[in-house]
Amino acid sequence: MSDDALSVDPTPPVEAQASPPATPVTPPSTVRALSCPNCGGIVNVRAQGLTVSVLCEHCGSTLDATRPDLQVIARANEALKTPEIPLGTRGTLGGRVWEVVGYMERTDEEIGWAEYLLFNPYEGYAFLVDDGRRFSLGIMLDRLPTMGWANSMQLDGQSYSRFGDTYPVRVTFVVGEFYWRVAVGETVDETDFVRPGTMLSCEVYQTERTWTRLDLLDWGVAEEAFGISARRREYSHPAPHEPSPYKRQLREALVVGVVALLVLFVVSGIGGSEQQIGQTTTDAVLDGPEKTVVIRGLDLPSARSRVVVDADAGAIDNAWVDLDYSLTDEKTQDSVDTYGLAEHYSGSDSDGSWTEGDPRPEVSLSSIPGGKYDLVVTLSAHRWNGGSSSSSFSMPTGFAGGSTFGQDSGQTVPITVTIKRGGVFGGNILLAFLLIAIWPLIVLFKNFAFEKRRMAPVSGSGGDDDDSGGDDD
């Protein structure tokens, strides 16, 4: 057996011991504190190695962050302002923690807005744009959009419409640290392309062109993230990329309206059938005395119902028949009175032949209580003397009197009166339709007005409209 096989490790075994809990290691701070060579104030550089210029929070001087001694690039030209979100504030947006490292104000000479430069060591830089109403989160694009139809741009399968012309944007105030040498008075040419919820902003400075995508944040998200006061919702001056707050309401109104219309048509169809409950035919003497006929035993259901009285005097020409109706309850003798007129005229003039009038009038009575009724019809017929001889009408064989209107005295006109119950009023259906359509029409108008304001040319003047809407899309 070899020596190697017999060798024994002389080191005694060591008993396993539980290791003490690891002490969390606090990463060294990335903030570098330096003194401003102009005022001596402490300047904190938060993004070391990336920051190019720093604006002193104490005196406003522009400092060169690439030099260890922070040499002064430019002196402050105006008093310092305090941003609503202080420098160094951290907040979480979209699941990422961002720190405010810079702040500047810009203008297009009509309106102004604020931009916060945000920094995350893993994500890089982002912009929080504040237009005074709402916040948008801007991320610089690492790819170029492509041209679409009618001056639009395409990005990730979505189309963005051009908003107005290219316009100059000037920096009016700046403080904090930036990854480029920004200064008051710096001007770029900007072009915007919008779709609801998002904007593509193209900025051109000298020979450099940059693209930024701005996503509109929901109301209160940025305020909650950075601990500032929530803002009141108002839609009098919407941002160019702001979704309409009325779209959801419009969808709901259309759905409810369609359902209501279907119910209306079903109900009107069920209750719209008419049932004949009485009829009589009588003759009226032209220019003769009044005649009265009674239709008895008209049964109406216990519930209130609609009653229709139709008169048919289709044989008349150049004449009219006055019809007085009285629907009387046999038990209470309460009556409902109404009036109808059957008429028809014809003739010819220099423009040719003409006709007018309705020989078959219909009269409707609503909400008649149930019971047994009699209908008293009083009628009288009259000739019209303005008709020409060419407009005379031959009566069918078997009619009483002569063969032609206006020739023989005692000529009669046959009239048939029919009573029906049930059905619905066309005016009520129209009124119900209009009431159902009011809500969708109002929301549609508000949505149209919002879109008109959204795409209107930017103006610094305007009212203080309190128009408010529903939730964003």
Side-chain angles (χ1 to χ4, degrees):
M1 194 176 287
S2 64
D3 294 339
D4 292 338
L6 295 175
S7 62
V8 178
D9 187 356
T11 305
V14 179
E15 294 183 0
Q17 297 180 356
S19 60
T23 302
V25 178
T26 302
S29 174
T30 59
V31 179
R32 178 187 176 195
L34 299 172
S35 297
C36 174
N38 182 56
C39 67
I42 300 300
V43 177
N44 294 317
V45 180
R46 296 174 176 84
Q48 296 186 61
L50 300 175
T51 300
V52 173
S53 62
V54 179
L55 282 295
C56 179
E57 303 175 36
H58 308 285
C59 67
S61 298
T62 304
L63 310 176
D64 187 355
T66 62
R67 301 290 296 271
D69 53 355
L70 290 181
Q71 290 188 358
V72 177
I73 299 176
R75 305 286 181 183
N77 293 320
E78 60 177 299
L80 284 179
K81 302 177 184 178
T82 302
E84 184 176 6
I85 305 176
L87 298 180
T89 304
R90 293 186 178 185
T92 302
L93 295 174
R96 296 175 176 84
V97 178
W98 299 95
E99 183 176 359
V100 178
V101 297
Y103 171 81
M104 64 178 173
E105 296 178 358
R106 308 172 84 186
T107 180
D108 62 3
E109 308 306 337
E110 290 193 15
I111 62 171
W113 64 93
E115 296 184 10
Y116 296 88
L117 182 63
L118 308 180
F119 177 71
N120 179 295
Y122 303 102
E123 303 294 335
Y125 290 98
F127 294 92
L128 185 65
V129 181
D130 177 13
D131 64 5
R133 294 175 55 254
R134 303 188 63 173
F135 290 90
S136 297
L137 182 62
I139 304 294
M140 292 186 62
L141 297 179
D142 55 4
R143 61 200 183 283
L144 292 177
T146 58
M147 287 293 297
W149 293 95
N151 289 330
S152 65
M153 300 300 292
Q154 299 284 331
L155 181 68
D156 298 335
Q158 294 181 325
S159 179
Y160 295 77
S161 301
R162 179 162 179 159
F163 181 77
D165 299 325
T166 300
Y167 57 96
V169 174
R170 180 172 56 89
V171 177
T172 59
F173 176 78
V174 62
V175 68
E177 58 186 270
F178 295 84
Y179 59 86
W180 76 96
R181 296 191 185 280
V182 62
V184 172
E186 177 185 276
T187 302
V188 300
D189 293 324
E190 183 168 325
T191 308
D192 297 327
F193 300 84
V194 300
R195 62 176 289 110
T198 310
M199 173 189 292
L200 296 182
S201 179
C202 176
E203 294 187 359
V204 178
Y205 178 69
Q206 297 179 354
T207 60
E208 182 181 359
R209 182 189 303 268
T210 58
W211 284 87
T212 304
R213 190 189 73 193
L214 294 167
D215 295 324
L216 191 70
L217 299 178
D218 289 338
W219 288 97
V221 170
E223 294 92 322
E224 182 180 358
F226 292 98
I228 61 176
S229 299
R231 296 177 178 178
R232 180 178 65 91
R233 298 191 182 199
E234 63 89 21
Y235 297 94
S236 58
H237 301 92
H241 59 308
E242 187 165 356
S244 171
Y246 304 105
K247 277 192 174 181
R248 181 176 177 180
Q249 291 185 18
L250 183 58
R251 288 195 298 266
E252 294 174 351
L254 290 176
V255 170
V256 173
V258 169
V259 172
L261 285 177
L262 291 176
V263 172
L264 174 64
F265 290 143
V266 170
V267 171
S268 62
I270 294 175
S273 59
E274 297 178 341
Q275 179 183 358
Q276 181 176 316
I277 57 176
Q279 186 180 66
T280 189
T281 299
T282 187
D283 294 325
V285 179
L286 286 169
D287 294 328
E290 288 186 345
K291 184 175 183 180
T292 300
V293 295
V294 181
I295 306 174
R296 302 184 182 278
L298 304 176
D299 289 323
L300 298 181
S302 57
R304 292 180 175 269
S305 61
R306 173 176 178 258
V307 175
V308 179
V309 182
D310 287 333
D312 185 353
I316 65 171
D317 189 29
N318 288 321
W320 75 92
V321 180
D322 292 317
L323 298 151
D324 292 311
Y325 303 116
S326 180
L327 186 64
T328 305
D329 190 323
E330 293 182 357
K331 182 178 181 180
T332 64
Q333 292 301 302
D334 293 334
S335 65
V336 179
D337 300 327
T338 186
Y339 171 80
L341 176 64
E343 57 183 341
H344 184 263
Y345 314 99
S346 66
S348 61
D349 53 25
S350 58
D351 295 328
S353 300
W354 55 269
T355 60
E356 65 178 56
D358 181 11
R360 299 176 178 84
E362 177 183 282
V363 177
S364 297
L365 302 174
S366 62
S367 299
I368 303 300
K372 189 176 288 292
Y373 288 81
D374 296 335
L375 179 66
V376 180
V377 182
T378 303
L379 50 89
S380 60
H382 308 274
R383 293 184 178 92
W384 179 57
N385 296 324
S388 63
S389 59
S390 62
S391 66
S392 61
F393 178 80
S394 298
M395 298 290 289
T397 303
F399 281 4
S403 61
T404 310
F405 282 166
Q407 294 180 0
D408 299 327
S409 62
Q411 179 182 347
T412 60
V413 179
I415 300 175
T416 300
V417 178
T418 304
I419 304 94
K420 304 174 185 178
R421 72 183 183 191
V424 293
F425 285 94
N428 292 344
I429 297 296
L430 178 60
L431 179 61
F433 174 80
L434 293 177
L435 291 176
I436 292 172
I438 284 177
W439 181 31
L441 288 177
I442 291 176
V443 179
L444 180 64
F445 174 77
K446 286 188 173 183
N447 184 73
F448 174 79
F450 178 90
E451 291 295 329
K452 186 177 180 180
R453 294 195 304 270
R454 181 177 73 87
M455 296 304 291
V458 177
S459 175
S461 61
D464 193 14
D465 191 357
D466 266 22
D467 185 19
S468 62
D471 296 335
D472 289 351
D473 233 4

